Amino acid sequence: MKRIVILGAGFGGLKTALTLARKLKNAKLDRACEVVLVNETDHHAYTPLFYEVATTSKETASMFDLHNLATVPLGFLIKGLPISLLKERVAGFDLLNREIYFKSLKSLEFDYLVLALGSETNFYNIPGLAAHALTFKTFADAIRIRDAIWTLAHERVPLIRIVIGGGGSAGVELAGELKAWCGELEKEVKQCRLSVAVIERSPTILTGFAPKIVNLAHRRLARLGVTILENREVRSLTAREVFLDKDEKIPYDTFIWNGGTKAASVIENLSLKREPRGRLEVEPTMNCLPQTPELQLENRVYALGDIVSFLNPQTQRPVPGVARAALTEAKVAAVNIFADIMAAENSKSAANKISYQPREYPYIIPIGGKYAIAKIGPFILSGFIAWVAKELVELFYLLSVMRPLPALATWFHGLKIFAENDRLG
């Protein structure tokens, strides 16, 4: 029996497992092949909802409600498919002998390996940052942010000072939603005063986005009262102050670090080719490349998502780490592994492989309440209509990984809670 091991159940890892398992089942190869999906938790997280989780009042939704909306049990998603779920944390690899080691001292051999481990927070060795900052990568992180601000509001802190390090899309989304949330908190406490500042080391927030998108985001954040500090670099952090370059310092009550990520540290010692930032280099087929000729991978090791660096041949810039890119890469990896298996089953047929073709993906940036900015092809939308588009994107994603009735039920429940939590405009 051939074993395909997929590490990570984020957007890319889950899509690879579902696509490959369905192909194997349709080809009646599900008894000859085993797909093993390995993840540290037993659920799949829909990360674009984390900013909503961090800013939804406890009076509106409990942690249990939010967990059910932002995550889906993996057992439910893979039911009826030839996929085994293994809840483990990866400890190391032996690529030469095709073996993976886990924290529980278990090991697993593989015929094909898909690395979809995602990224982790990068603190850049900034003094005090890891010790004092709240991060914004997981569901638990979003809940910690919500609890911290909710506690300050109910302690009647006269002015809650929130500083966000990093002005990328996640930082901008969170900043806008925090300011909008303050109005909702006034229903629970007599007064809620919230100051939000975003620190960005680049010349502008949303680096790499279209200039019109950046301008719209600037105007929206200014209208909400968010302070934007561009061309500033965080040098150190204490329990109450953030120190910037040029001897500038800012006091805070809650500091949220969203200023950078790096490839999962477990791949650092892998003998695979990596670019200077540590991400894996891959071929258009999503195959990994060995560091030395002695390591014969034989097209058995794939990688995708935030863990890889793939240069767009037209722009010579890395493909952005967005969900749509990971989903497309996942399809390429799944199709190519299936083609290899089919070629092995029938020696007369060649493996018909496909290549990943980078393109400009549409994107939507929600910024407080029922307001968003969207770029779909050449069109740029803003305001309520873009927020509606965001809700539809969430529905289509749920329909891609779940059966229609559960997907619609989950979406309607989330729409009710988040629409109640978001003010219009």
Side-chain angles (χ1 to χ4, degrees), residues 99-405:
E99 198 165 6
I100 310 163
Y101 303 105
F102 301 103
K103 291 292 183 181
S104 64
L105 303 181
K106 293 179 181 178
S107 65
L108 194 66
E109 294 181 351
F110 65 86
D111 293 284
Y112 294 92
L113 175 64
V114 180
L115 299 166
L117 291 164
S119 61
E120 58 188 49
T121 302
N122 193 343
F123 295 105
Y124 299 105
N125 296 317
I126 298 173
L129 191 58
H132 300 295
L134 294 177
T135 52
F136 189 48
K137 281 287 292 176
T138 67
F139 177 83
D141 288 341
I143 290 295
R144 275 191 283 270
I145 292 170
R146 180 178 87 144
D147 288 348
I149 296 168
W150 189 89
T151 299
L152 290 169
H154 284 75
E155 287 177 351
R156 305 294 197 273
V157 173
L159 177 65
I160 303 171
R161 301 162 299 180
I162 301 173
V163 178
I164 299 173
S169 57
V172 167
E173 291 170 9
L174 185 60
E177 199 66 22
L178 282 169
K179 286 294 289 186
W181 185 37
C182 187
E184 298 302 312
L185 279 173
E186 288 180 347
K187 297 176 182 178
E188 302 174 38
V189 296
K190 291 182 179 179
Q191 185 180 24
C192 174
R193 295 186 61 222
L194 199 72
S195 73
V196 180
V198 177
I199 301 170
E200 172 55 49
R201 66 179 298 181
S202 300
T204 179
I205 57 171
L206 299 176
T207 302
F209 288 79
K212 187 175 179 180
I213 297 291
V214 176
N215 291 336
L216 285 169
H218 260 284
R219 292 212 303 263
R220 174 61 177 173
L221 291 173
R223 180 182 170 189
L224 291 171
V226 175
T227 302
I228 302 173
L229 303 172
E230 295 163 327
N231 268 323
R232 309 289 218 291
E233 187 172 351
V234 175
R235 291 293 176 84
S236 65
L237 199 70
T238 66
R240 289 295 177 187
E241 292 178 316
V242 52
F243 292 83
L244 310 179
D245 47 356
K246 302 175 184 177
D247 296 324
E248 186 178 1
K249 65 180 180 179
I250 302 173
Y252 72 86
D253 296 296
T254 300
F255 184 91
I256 302 166
W257 178 244
N258 198 54
T261 60
K262 60 181 180 179
S265 55
V266 72
I267 70 163
E268 288 179 355
N269 297 320
L270 273 175
S271 50
L272 300 174
K273 281 189 178 179
R274 287 175 292 177
E275 44 88 78
R277 293 184 303 166
R279 288 174 166 82
L280 298 173
E281 295 182 7
V282 292
E283 296 177 333
T285 53
M286 305 315 296
N287 288 108
C288 292
L289 303 167
Q291 282 181 342
T292 59
E294 291 77 20
L295 180 60
Q296 299 294 322
L297 297 180
E298 299 175 350
N299 296 329
R300 299 297 184 107
V301 181
Y302 294 75
L304 50 91
D306 291 346
I307 208 169
V308 305
S309 174
F310 190 94
L311 289 181
N312 187 323
Q314 295 181 342
T315 64
Q316 291 303 306
R317 295 178 60 183
V319 173
V322 295
R324 288 292 298 273
L327 293 170
T328 307
E329 293 165 356
K331 181 180 178 181
V332 172
V335 167
N336 290 340
I337 292 172
F338 179 73
D340 259 352
I341 293 171
M342 288 296 291
E345 290 289 319
N346 183 1
S347 58
K348 294 182 180 179
S349 66
N352 297 317
K353 296 195 172 184
I354 62 174
S355 297
Y356 173 59
Q357 302 293 333
R359 63 186 181 88
E360 183 181 355
Y361 296 98
Y363 54 82
I364 303 176
I365 305 172
I367 311 180
K370 295 182 178 68
Y371 180 99
I373 304 169
K375 187 175 188 300
I376 304 170
F379 304 104
I380 293 177
L381 309 173
S382 64
F384 180 70
I385 189 171
W387 181 85
V388 172
K390 176 190 79 76
E391 294 298 323
L392 292 175
V393 167
E394 292 170 5
L395 173 59
F396 292 146
Y397 178 71
L398 290 173
L399 288 169
S400 74
V401 296
M402 299 168 65
R403 293 185 298 276
L405 287 179

Side-chain angles (χ1 to χ4, degrees), residues 28-55:
K28 301 188 185 306
L29 290 173
D30 46 322
R31 293 188 178 182
C33 301
E34 179 187 17
V35 178
V36 181
L37 181 60
V38 182
N39 200 52
E40 289 188 28
T41 66
D42 56 6
H43 60 265
H44 166 69
Y46 186 69
T47 54
L49 281 184
F50 284 174
Y51 81 96
E52 294 270 27
V53 172
T55 57

Side-chain angles (χ1 to χ4, degrees), residues 77-94:
L77 296 176
I78 65 176
K79 187 177 180 180
L81 291 172
I83 302 174
S84 301
L85 178 61
L86 185 60
K87 186 179 174 181
E88 283 286 355
R89 185 175 183 182
V90 179
F93 302 87
D94 182 353

Side-chain angles (χ1 to χ4, degrees), residues 400-422:
S400 74
V401 296
M402 299 168 65
R403 293 185 298 276
L405 287 179
L408 284 167
T410 301
W411 182 74
F412 273 119
H413 186 46
L415 183 64
K416 178 180 181 297
I417 287 178
F418 297 138
E420 180 183 342
N421 193 57
D422 291 338

